[in-house]
């Protein structure tokens, strides 16, 4: 008799705003893998406390615990889950398309830093910013739009013939602009909105979030 599969636990940020935690959350849901969801309060520095730091090598969310194996960094987790649970793929099967999907994931995690700063994912999950983009932020947004248009020619609504997890990652980056009412070409805005209709994204968006300090008046939510 085979042993029962080891349980999964996913650690995410208590504010449910991490785009990287969302990527792994969607992957787990897409694959139908049961898991426990636990939160880490990054604002309070909980990711540096010994319990979590001893578990997550990079002290970041998301961190996935699978039995006695612990893994952080979202794209690494996505690929690990793809390898151990391949029946419902979240990456393309074609080797070149798969490489392109990984390229997109790596790009949105490593580039456009000023845009990620000026349009954090709080604009998606808490509300828009009242600050205009700086010149550098506008340049980053223009770069994002140009590259996204090259990846999604002729109004495509997915990067490849079938949906993949990189669609969610790209849509999150675009929705930093869309949800803030910054100028985005209609086809790209529609692509980003459609990706957010994924059931797991809607589930994530519906999570209960603690109020931000800027939303408090005399210690109470405004």
């Amino acid at each position: 008799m085979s042993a029962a599969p080891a349980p999964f636990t996913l650690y995410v940020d208590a504010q449910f705003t991490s785009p990287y935690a969302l990527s792994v959350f969607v992957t787990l849901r897409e694959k139908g893998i049961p898991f426990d969801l636990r939160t880490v309060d990054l604002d309070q520095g909980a990711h540096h406390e010994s319990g979590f730091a001893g578990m997550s090598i990079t002290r970041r969310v998301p961190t996935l615990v699978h039995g006695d194996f612990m893994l952080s960094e979202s794209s690494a987790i996505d690929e690990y889950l793809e390898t151990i649970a391949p029946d419902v793929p979240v990456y393309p099967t074609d080797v070149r398309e798969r490489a392109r999907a990984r390229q997109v994931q790596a790009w949105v995690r490593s580039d456009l830093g000023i845009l990620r700063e000026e349009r954090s994912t709080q604009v998606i999950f808490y509300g828009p910013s009242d600050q205009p983009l700086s010149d550098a932020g506008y340049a980053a947004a223009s770069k994002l739009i140009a590259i996204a248009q090259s990846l999604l020619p002729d109004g495509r609504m997915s990067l490849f013939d079938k949906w993949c997890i990189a669609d969610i990652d790209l849509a999150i980056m675009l929705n930093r602009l869309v949800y803030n009412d910054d100028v985005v070409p209609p086809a790209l805005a529609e692509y980003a909105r459609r990706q957010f209709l994924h059931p797991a994204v809607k589930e994530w968006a519906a999570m209960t979030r603690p109020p931000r300090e800027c939303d408090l008046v005399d210690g109470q939510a405004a």
Side-chain angles (χ1 to χ4, degrees):
M1 182 176 181
S2 60
F8 291 83
T9 301
L10 178 64
Y11 288 83
V12 304
D13 61 306
Q15 292 72 32
F16 296 103
T17 59
S18 167
Y20 316 117
L22 173 55
S23 180
V24 175
F25 183 85
V26 171
T27 294
L28 285 162
R29 285 288 192 249
E30 184 73 11
K31 289 180 174 294
I33 298 174
F35 64 98
D36 292 329
L37 186 66
R38 298 184 184 177
T39 60
V40 180
D41 194 334
L42 306 183
D43 289 347
Q44 298 299 318
H47 51 307
H48 295 302
E49 295 175 0
S50 59
F52 186 76
M55 177 177 58
S56 175
I57 293 175
T58 55
R59 303 185 182 187
R60 302 210 294 183
V61 297
T63 289
L64 181 75
V65 177
H66 180 202
D68 60 357
F69 180 61
M70 302 158 194
L71 184 66
S72 53
E73 305 307 314
S74 57
S75 57
I77 298 172
D78 284 343
E79 292 183 23
Y80 173 71
L81 292 169
E82 184 79 339
T83 300
I84 66 171
D87 289 351
V88 181
V90 297
Y91 285 98
T93 55
D94 177 81
V95 65
R96 292 187 175 183
E97 289 185 349
R98 189 183 184 102
R100 184 71 72 201
R102 287 170 166 167
Q103 179 187 20
V104 169
Q105 286 190 300
W107 171 57
V108 298
R109 286 159 171 75
S110 61
D111 197 3
L112 309 174
I114 188 65
L115 182 59
R116 286 184 277 120
E117 178 181 336
E118 295 184 8
R119 293 293 182 265
S120 78
T121 48
Q122 288 196 11
V123 306
I124 299 175
F125 299 112
Y126 277 97
S129 169
D130 59 3
Q131 298 298 311
L133 288 169
S134 66
D135 289 346
Y138 181 80
S142 298
K143 179 180 180 181
L144 168 63
I145 288 169
I147 293 175
Q149 287 178 318
S150 71
L151 291 167
L152 297 160
D154 303 320
R156 290 179 61 115
M157 289 294 117
S158 62
L159 289 166
F160 310 105
D161 288 341
K162 293 184 178 180
W163 174 92
C164 76
I165 191 60
D167 282 304
I168 296 296
D169 292 312
L170 180 58
I172 293 169
M173 185 59 78
L174 288 167
N175 274 328
R176 295 170 186 266
L177 300 173
V178 172
Y179 276 67
N180 208 71
D181 290 329
D182 294 306
V183 177
V184 176
L188 288 184
E190 179 63 17
Y191 162 81
R193 290 192 181 99
R194 286 196 189 185
Q195 296 303 323
F196 268 39
L197 294 177
H198 192 289
V201 179
K202 293 172 71 174
E203 181 184 355
W204 180 271
M207 296 289 187
T208 300
R209 293 174 171 80
R212 300 173 295 181
E213 288 189 9
C214 62
D215 295 330
L216 296 176
V217 176
D218 295 330
Q220 301 294 322

